[in-house]
Amino acid sequence: MTGVELDGLLQRDTAHGWGEALFHLGRSYGFEKVCFGMSSSRHARLDHAFVQTNYPRAWRERYETERYAYVDPTVTHCLASTLPLVWVPELFRSPTQRTMYEEACSHGLRAGISFPIHGPNGEFGILAFATDMVPDATFVRDARAFLPDLALVRDYAFATGVRFCPVVEQEAAPRLTPRELEVLNWVMVGKSSWEISKITGCSEATVNFHMGNIRQKFNVNTRQQAVVRAISLGLITPEDHHR
């Protein structure tokens, strides 16, 4: 990668032209597909982001329709971490995540790297590089070798792409009770209602009652969606259950 290639991001005046420059950088590292998404606040809803991508349209529509952003483990990781994440099949653990991954593979998105974006003024985003290559040990080794260069691309993408990011009103965080926060933390680490009932000493029905209240407060349909919203609003973090 040369400074001239990175300057392509600086010299483009339109979002479309900027996106094309970013896609060119991805292809220079063997990643045919690139997706950049960023919001002016990590507390804003995920569907209020500035997005530039050359992912297949059919996959983008499927991802949006199924609201996969709320179950995608790469999104959850990027909300809570500043470290890049290399995709491997084992990352997609739940049945819904496995279904999502299999569908992504059918659209040529079999392996990749996701870079979190956490800006100094609260901006949040993700830059993902994807390919149809098999995510075997060779891919993981090569991907890790690219991390320093691609991290620099991420930094340039943030610095030059933030101008295209619309300012949206921050969503107020709902108030959760201490018990609701406790239940949500256990959901975050994959515990079932029955397991949570044994851990907390509540009945399974009580746990489900708390989850119903949580989903209503977040205006979401599933537990995983509630977890993602809680992480994005700073109510819980992946480290909370260790405390």
Side-chain angles (χ1 to χ4, degrees), residues 3 16 19 22 31-32 43 51 63 70 79 85 89 93 104 120 128 138 143 146 151-152 157 203 213 219 226-227:
H16 175 75
L22 184 61
F31 294 98
E32 304 90 2
H43 302 320
V51 177
Y63 192 92
Y70 291 97
L79 278 165
L85 179 68
R93 298 186 180 92
T138 299
F146 291 150
L152 184 59
S203 69
N213 285 340
N219 192 28
V227 167

Side-chain angles (χ1 to χ4, degrees), residues 108-165:
L109 307 171
R110 189 177 305 275
I113 310 172
S114 291
F115 286 84
I117 296 171
H118 297 279
N121 297 311
E123 303 92 346
F124 168 72
I126 300 173
L127 174 57
F129 299 91
T131 176
D132 198 28
M133 293 177 60
V134 176
D136 55 14
T138 299
F139 168 79
V140 172
R141 182 197 64 213
D142 292 344
R144 288 175 176 167
F146 291 150
L147 291 181
D149 279 4
L150 293 179
L152 184 59
V153 173
R154 183 267 314 273
D155 293 344
Y156 264 74
F158 166 72
T160 59
V162 69
R163 58 189 159 142
F164 301 116
C165 191

Side-chain angles (χ1 to χ4, degrees), residues 87-108:
W87 307 353
V88 291
E90 295 76 21
L91 182 67
F92 304 87
R93 298 186 180 92
S94 74
T96 303
Q97 289 171 344
R98 287 194 294 271
T99 297
M100 184 196 77
Y101 178 68
E102 290 168 2
E103 291 182 13
C105 289
S106 72
H107 289 281

Side-chain angles (χ1 to χ4, degrees), residues 209-228:
F209 172 78
H210 288 310
M211 275 311 309
N213 285 340
I214 292 168
R215 290 196 302 271
Q216 184 177 39
K217 289 179 179 181
F218 283 123
N219 192 28
V220 297
N221 297 322
T222 70
R223 295 180 175 209
Q224 187 60 35
Q225 290 170 1
V227 167
V228 172

Side-chain angles (χ1 to χ4, degrees), residues 10-217:
L10 294 168
Q11 297 167 355
R12 303 301 177 97
D13 295 327
T14 67
H16 175 75
W18 180 89
E20 289 298 320
L22 184 61
F23 305 155
H24 173 73
L25 282 166
R27 286 191 292 269
S28 70
Y29 283 91
F31 294 98
E32 304 90 2
K33 305 300 180 185
V34 178
C35 182
F36 176 93
M38 185 167 66
S39 173
S40 60
S41 170
R42 75 190 303 272
H43 302 320
R45 298 191 68 86
L46 298 175
D47 50 1
H48 292 163
F50 162 66
V51 177
Q52 285 290 301
T53 182
N54 61 355
Y55 280 12
R57 179 177 297 275
W59 169 243
R60 299 201 313 266
E61 292 176 350
R62 175 69 174 170
Y63 192 92
E64 182 176 346
T65 299
E66 296 299 321
R67 304 186 76 187
Y68 277 150
Y70 291 97
V71 299
D72 189 340
T74 68
V75 173
T76 304
H77 168 86
C78 289
L79 278 165
S81 176
T82 59
L83 298 176
L85 179 68
V86 178
W87 307 353
V88 291
E90 295 76 21
L91 182 67
F92 304 87
R93 298 186 180 92
S94 74
T96 303
Q97 289 171 344
R98 287 194 294 271
T99 297
M100 184 196 77
Y101 178 68
E102 290 168 2
E103 291 182 13
C105 289
S106 72
H107 289 281
L109 307 171
R110 189 177 305 275
I113 310 172
S114 291
F115 286 84
I117 296 171
H118 297 279
N121 297 311
E123 303 92 346
F124 168 72
I126 300 173
L127 174 57
F129 299 91
T131 176
D132 198 28
M133 293 177 60
V134 176
D136 55 14
T138 299
F139 168 79
V140 172
R141 182 197 64 213
D142 292 344
R144 288 175 176 167
F146 291 150
L147 291 181
D149 279 4
L150 293 179
L152 184 59
V153 173
R154 183 267 314 273
D155 293 344
Y156 264 74
F158 166 72
T160 59
V162 69
R163 58 189 159 142
F164 301 116
C165 191
V167 177
V168 297
E169 185 177 350
Q170 294 190 12
E171 180 182 356
R175 297 190 64 176
L176 300 184
T177 68
R179 181 64 82 179
E180 288 170 348
L181 284 170
E182 182 182 17
V183 167
L184 199 55
N185 269 291
W186 287 117
V187 171
M188 177 174 58
V189 298
K191 299 298 183 183
S192 67
S193 291
W194 181 84
E195 290 172 321
I196 297 171
S197 72
K198 298 303 178 184
I199 294 169
T200 61
C202 297
S203 69
E204 188 172 354
T206 299
V207 173
N208 289 332
F209 172 78
H210 288 310
M211 275 311 309
N213 285 340
I214 292 168
R215 290 196 302 271
Q216 184 177 39
K217 289 179 179 181

